[in-house]
Each structure stands twice: as C-alpha cells, then as structure tokens.
Amino acid sequence: MKITKAAVNVCSPGRNFVTFKLETDEGLYGLGDGTLNGRELAVVSYLTEHVIPCLIGRDPFQTEDIWQYLYRGAYWRRGPVTMSAIGAVDMALWDIKGKALNTPVYNLLGGKSRNGVLVYAHANGADIEETIDAVGRKIGLGYLAVRAQSGIPGLDSTYGVAKGNKPYEPAERGLPSESLWSTEKYLRSVPDLFERLRKQFGEDVHLLHDCHHRLTPIEAARMGKELESHHLFWMEDPVPAELQEGFKVIRQHTTTPIATGEVFNTIWDAQELLREQWIDYIRMTVTHAGGLTALKKIADFAALFHVRTGCHGATDLSPVSMAAALHFGMAIHNFGIQEHMPHNAETDSVFPHGYAFEEGYMYPGDTPGLGVEIDEKLAATYPYQRAYLPINRKLDGTLFDW
Ligand code: CS2
Ligand code: MG
C-alpha cells in the first residue's frame, strides 16, 4: 500500500480544528488531529509546506520509520508545532493500519486491558455554591470523577470558570482577553472549596483540581498539604514545568498526587519528573506528544516509575484525538484517567464518531481504525477564525502565567 495524497482541513465549528487526512492507493484513508490551540495555522503550514511532499509514495504501515523520518530527519527536533504535526501524521497512519487490518486501533496497541476508560468531567462555578451545584450535576450524569474549579472571592474572572451560562471553553475569538490573578486569594479559597465538596458528596467521588501552572513550588507544597485530608485524585500543573526539579520541593512536603504534562511534547520534557518519581500522572496527549507511536513509549517509560496516564482531553483536541486517546487508554496497562470535555453538537456532527460515554466510562467503539470520520462539506461551512487563549496579570499589572 502507498500513500497517494494528503491534505489538511481547518474548520471552526465553535472552535478551530486542524485535521490531517492521508489517502492510499487502496482507497483507504486515515485521519489525524493536529490542533494546537491558538497557533493552529503554524501546524497547517508545517504540514502543508514541509511534511506532505515527503509522505507521498511511502508505505503507511511504516509507522515507526515515518515517525523517525519526521523527527530525526528534520534536524530541528521537538516543540509543539513540530510534534503536533508529527502527531497528526502518526494518528492518520494508525487509523489506516487499523482499517487495513480490519480491527480497532486498541488491538494494535496491546488489545483491551480494561472494560472501559475512566474519565473525569469539568465542573466550574463563579463561587463555591455554584461549583458545588456543578459537581452535583456531573455526578448526576454518571461521572465518577470531577475536576472542580471555582471563582476566587475578590477576583473578577479566573482560569476554568465559564463566562455567562456557556460551558467553559479554553479559547476565545478575537485578541487575547486578560484576567487578574492573586496567589494569596487563590490559596485561601481552594481548601474551603474541597472541604465543602467532601462534606456534600462524601469520599466516593474522585475530585481533581487544576492549578494551571500558577504557583511556585513552595506555594504548591502548602496547597497540597492543606488539601491532603480531602484526598484529591490529583492536583494538576501546580507549577510551570520547564524546571522539572521544581516538583521535588512539592513532593517533599505533600502526599497529594500530582499530574502534569498537557503542554509537554516529548519525553525529554518529563524524563526527570518520571525518573525521580516527582509526579503521579503524566498528561501528554496523542496530538501534542507526536502521536500514538511516541505516547506508547512515554507511557511504557512512565510505568517503570509507578506513573500512570491522565491525558489532556479539553475541547481544543478534536474528536479524532479523543478517539485516539480512548483506544490508547483501553490498551495500555498504566492508564490512570482520561479528561473528558464533551464537544458541542456542531463539532460532533462535523466529526461523526463511534466512541461513547456511559456511567463514568468511555468506550472507543469497535469500528476498524480510530472510528472517526470528517464531513468535509459540513466542515467547509465553519471556516477558520483567529482565536487565542487568555492571558493573565497580577493585580499590579505584571504579566503572569495563564
Ligand atoms: C486545561 C485546558 O483541560 C485542561 O486541563 O488546562 O483548559 C487548557 O488550558 C487548554 O486545553 C489549552 O489549550
Ligand atoms: Mg490543565
């Protein structure tokens, strides 16, 4: 079998998605997600200008060789744009492989290791009362794990809290909006939130929280300590992770489990965190980590150090990436949990798929390949729109981490 054609589709059914499509001389095609939130067209150009011409004529079964060709062959390694482009190609190749062998992708990754993929939902509220209600609604929908983010008293808006009645969406059309930040106010409010949540819902539900890289190691250590009695499933991205050693300080002070890695793109971003056992969950996605070929190796390496996966699954990853994550989560042994933010109805109709949610778990379905399609005609009715993630400033105006 040979690759005969490749193209990139950009659409915006509520938010932007970059979808890569590979076609073969045997009439099979594969899809991959290359969406990089807020920097989508950089990946499109990388794929169109630099990658597609090199793929024509290759054997799509050579997932390993093509991965190495794109990674080593470019000379310029790593980085979110490069790795999302490689991720999109790799996903499409596995999709084709599954279709050609007439089997779902999870069978190519080791087969089923479990009955379903445990997922966590998002619950957001402007204040503690609203967040408690939101968590209750997610539990009512059948979720067994819920991430809770609440507005901070004294701050107008903050990460994870939706504006108006719409679901929280991590991108906005137009130029970046700005929010205000106070670490002091944040540190005071989070323990109260989880104390109330445990009182209300008991110990059975898994509760998670995302700090979104906003603390220093010693501040994160304090927060982890104060949350210990509320038994969080994890505290996510406590600090920015360029300095992997920063996690050592947190680890020395608290038993609250730690998750990080949604912005990582290769094993080199995490190897010290893993080797030193400073984290409990690694959150890299199939898209940003360079595809299933790379993520499988990362998960196997993490397994040596008791680290499980908790892949990023926000709405800025398309249904193609979600499907790949579910096949992956079904197959690997050290799976931990998968993030699940449901896409809007427009996105679901552009990307018809076989995966489904039921009673706390998701299932990739048994369609050969990844089990996702793209309706290109419908996609064309939702043209690309420039969008950005917000930025964040301290109360005195200093630019801070978002
Ligand atoms: C996040 C996202 O889902 C998460 O945990 O941190 O909201 C993230 O900020 C966006 O996906 C960025 O694109
Ligand atoms: Mg996060």
Side-chain angles (χ1 to χ4, degrees), residues 121-140 143 145-153 155-165 168 186 189-201 205-210 232:
H122 283 204
N124 322 295
D127 56 28
I128 292 186
E129 298 306 325
E130 267 189 45
T131 309
I132 293 174
D133 289 350
V135 171
R137 282 196 297 278
K138 297 294 163 151
I139 295 172
Y143 285 97
V146 185
R147 179 190 103 151
Q149 307 292 138
S150 183
I152 301 168
L155 293 182
D156 273 356
S157 69
T158 193
Y159 167 75
V161 179
K163 292 181 182 147
N165 284 332
Y168 163 70
Y186 174 67
S189 74
V190 176
D192 290 350
L193 169 67
F194 284 91
E195 190 180 338
R196 293 282 311 279
L197 288 171
R198 278 293 175 224
K199 265 199 196 121
Q200 183 87 17
F201 300 110
V205 62
H206 296 306
L207 294 175
L208 300 82
H209 181 72
D210 192 346
L232 262 62

Side-chain angles (χ1 to χ4, degrees), residues 153-379:
L155 293 182
D156 273 356
S157 69
T158 193
Y159 167 75
V161 179
K163 292 181 182 147
N165 284 332
K166 291 186 248 145
Y168 163 70
E169 171 62 54
E172 286 160 357
R173 289 172 178 172
L175 291 175
S177 67
E178 301 200 3
S179 50
L180 283 179
W181 180 251
S182 156
T183 299
E184 296 74 22
K185 294 183 196 306
Y186 174 67
L187 286 176
R188 277 202 300 272
S189 74
V190 176
D192 290 350
L193 169 67
F194 284 91
E195 190 180 338
R196 293 282 311 279
L197 288 171
R198 278 293 175 224
K199 265 199 196 121
Q200 183 87 17
F201 300 110
E203 280 285 336
D204 280 348
V205 62
H206 296 306
L207 294 175
L208 300 82
H209 181 72
D210 192 346
C211 307
H212 227 250
H213 330 268
R214 289 171 178 204
L215 301 174
T216 64
I218 203 68
E219 289 162 352
R222 166 182 153 191
M223 193 166 110
K225 249 176 142 167
E226 290 181 8
L227 290 172
E228 266 169 29
S229 61
H230 309 313
H231 301 141
L232 262 62
F233 187 95
W234 78 35
M235 171 167 85
E236 177 182 334
D237 287 335
V239 294
E242 288 95 326
L243 179 70
Q244 297 183 35
E245 230 178 87
F247 285 75
K248 182 177 177 182
V249 176
I250 309 173
R251 201 56 150 182
Q252 281 166 340
H253 288 91
T254 178
T255 57
T256 295
I258 296 165
T260 197
E262 66 180 46
V263 300
F264 294 177
N265 48 72
T266 70
I267 185 64
W268 299 104
D269 296 323
Q271 55 99 13
E272 204 179 346
L273 290 171
L274 297 170
R275 254 194 308 107
E276 298 289 346
Q277 302 176 51
W278 289 329
I279 59 169
D280 301 277
Y281 296 92
I282 180 81
R283 282 184 46 72
M284 289 157 86
T285 60
V286 187
T287 292
H288 305 135
L292 289 164
T293 297
L295 200 60
K296 177 74 167 75
K297 293 177 191 181
I298 293 166
D300 288 344
F301 181 66
L304 303 181
F305 304 102
H306 308 287
V307 175
R308 286 176 280 171
T309 61
C311 297
H312 186 204
T315 38
D316 47 291
L317 294 144
S318 90
V320 182
S321 189
M322 189 65 196
L326 294 175
H327 286 274
F328 183 74
M330 202 68 174
I332 61 162
H333 180 254
N334 58 326
F335 165 78
I337 200 165
Q338 168 66 45
E339 181 175 10
H340 179 223
M341 272 178 85
H343 289 107
N344 64 15
E346 290 89 338
T347 301
D348 283 340
S349 49
V350 169
F351 297 96
H353 53 258
Y355 62 75
F357 170 84
E358 209 188 317
E359 293 181 18
Y361 294 87
M362 286 185 79
Y363 302 88
D366 290 325
T367 314
L370 292 173
V372 187
E373 304 281 327
I374 181 165
D375 180 336
E376 284 163 333
K377 268 204 191 124
L378 188 58

